[in-house]
Amino acid sequence: MLLAGLCTVDQIQRVAEIPAPGEKVRSLSMDVAAGGPATNAAVTVAALGAGATLLTVAGAHPLAALARADLEAHGVDLVDLDPERPDPPAISAIVVRDSDGERTVVSRNAHASSQFVTYLRSLRAQLSQLDDELPGCVLLDGHHPEVALEVARWARERKVPVVLDAGSWKPVFPELMPLVDIAACSSLYRGDDPREHGVPVVITTAGPDPVCWSTADGSGAVPVPVTRARDTLGAGDVWHGAFAYAVARDRGDVPGWIEFANEVAAERVRHEGPRSWTAAVAKKGLP
């Protein structure tokens, strides 16, 4: 599978209670891992047993090495489109509440690259290498908009299904959505209706509530498994990765793909920490 989008460095503190303004608390544990929608989705795809290639911009800053090491350890092939970039990667400061796994996140989106032309050439070269063995699906998160558009056009020309993680509105979406086959939005998404841009399949996730879907032929909702949440960090990203994995395997239909993604995301939230869930998720890989 091919995934394109944001790669961050996540610094995660687990606490008994999320502190109020001005309050200091001691964390129960601390982790550092690669993060970002497409990145966590790529880790999910790899955990499920499929090849996962992540197109992103990481750069040469020492902090980027943390993300590289994490992704290498979890089977993700990271393709850095601007490897000489000196700026630090986007960093997310995350606090997870121990009692129910709820989290708060402070982060920045990807910065525009001063080497736009260079890494666009690198992207096209990387995509041309995939022409002999096309991925079963492409997942985009809308970060690095020029990358998203280039990958979406490439996939559309080759009839590779494109899944968009529309967790939040991004300015590139009006141009990107006409190239998308499936838009999976969160309940917090605020922006144009993907149907207005011709997206044939639209899905809305809502945490523990049923996942709704609609196509030209019908609509419905798929319930989410009831489970005790220990850590909700990245659960939506895991859902998107599992959904795109199911699409790539071409097993079943939209409700079936959603059901599979729901089960994988439910497994993720049962486990504490940014990567502790991967071994359990591996058992859910399709034959």
Side-chain angles (χ1 to χ4, degrees), residues 128-153:
S128 68
Q129 295 178 17
L130 297 174
D131 281 340
D132 293 334
E133 189 174 349
L134 295 176
C137 181
V138 164
L139 173 70
L140 309 173
D141 66 15
H143 292 277
H144 301 298
E146 60 280 353
V147 174
L149 287 169
E150 189 75 18
V151 173
R153 293 183 186 115

Side-chain angles (χ1 to χ4, degrees), residues 15-281:
V15 297
E17 292 294 339
I18 295 174
E23 182 183 8
K24 294 182 179 180
V25 298
R26 181 170 301 210
S27 67
L28 303 174
S29 65
M30 191 276 288
D31 291 287
V32 177
T39 297
N40 286 325
V43 172
T44 306
V45 170
L48 288 166
T53 298
L54 175 66
L55 297 176
T56 189
V57 174
H61 191 277
L63 284 174
L66 298 175
R68 293 179 194 277
D70 179 43
L71 293 174
E72 181 179 357
H74 290 90
V76 175
D77 180 16
L78 186 152
V79 177
D80 191 348
L81 300 172
D82 195 1
E84 303 303 319
R85 181 175 179 163
D87 304 325
I91 300 171
S92 294
I94 300 162
V95 177
V96 178
R97 187 164 56 196
D98 186 58
S99 60
D100 58 4
E102 285 297 327
R103 79 285 188 270
T104 61
V105 181
V106 179
S107 64
R108 294 192 68 185
N109 289 344
H111 299 282
S113 174
S114 60
Q115 299 295 322
F116 167 77
V117 174
T118 300
Y119 84 63
L120 194 58
R121 287 174 183 162
S122 174
L123 171 59
R124 288 169 179 161
Q126 293 292 337
L127 291 175
S128 68
Q129 295 178 17
L130 297 174
D131 281 340
D132 293 334
E133 189 174 349
L134 295 176
C137 181
V138 164
L139 173 70
L140 309 173
D141 66 15
H143 292 277
H144 301 298
E146 60 280 353
V147 174
L149 287 169
E150 189 75 18
V151 173
R153 293 183 186 115
W154 174 87
R156 175 56 63 94
E157 290 172 359
R158 290 155 181 80
K159 303 187 185 308
V160 175
V162 178
V163 176
L164 174 63
D165 175 351
S168 61
W169 172 257
K170 298 175 182 62
V172 72
F173 280 2
E175 190 176 357
L176 181 60
M177 283 184 173
L179 303 170
V180 167
D181 298 290
I182 303 169
C185 310
S186 75
S187 59
L188 300 178
Y189 172 82
R190 300 291 182 270
D192 296 353
D193 186 334
R195 299 170 190 84
E196 297 175 359
H197 296 280
V199 179
V201 179
V202 179
I203 297 168
T204 303
T205 62
D209 295 328
V211 177
C212 298
W213 60 272
S214 67
T215 68
D217 300 322
S219 61
V222 181
V224 172
V226 177
T227 188
R228 183 191 178 199
R230 297 294 297 139
D231 195 335
T232 60
L233 178 63
D237 306 337
V238 170
W239 188 96
H240 285 93
F243 179 86
Y245 167 89
V247 172
R249 305 293 288 206
D250 197 23
R251 303 291 182 89
D253 51 14
V254 174
W257 298 336
I258 293 172
E259 181 179 12
F260 177 77
N262 288 353
E263 291 176 357
V264 173
E267 189 64 60
R268 187 275 168 267
V269 303
R270 294 185 185 111
H271 300 266
E272 297 179 15
R275 297 290 180 254
S276 58
W277 49 273
T278 55
V281 162

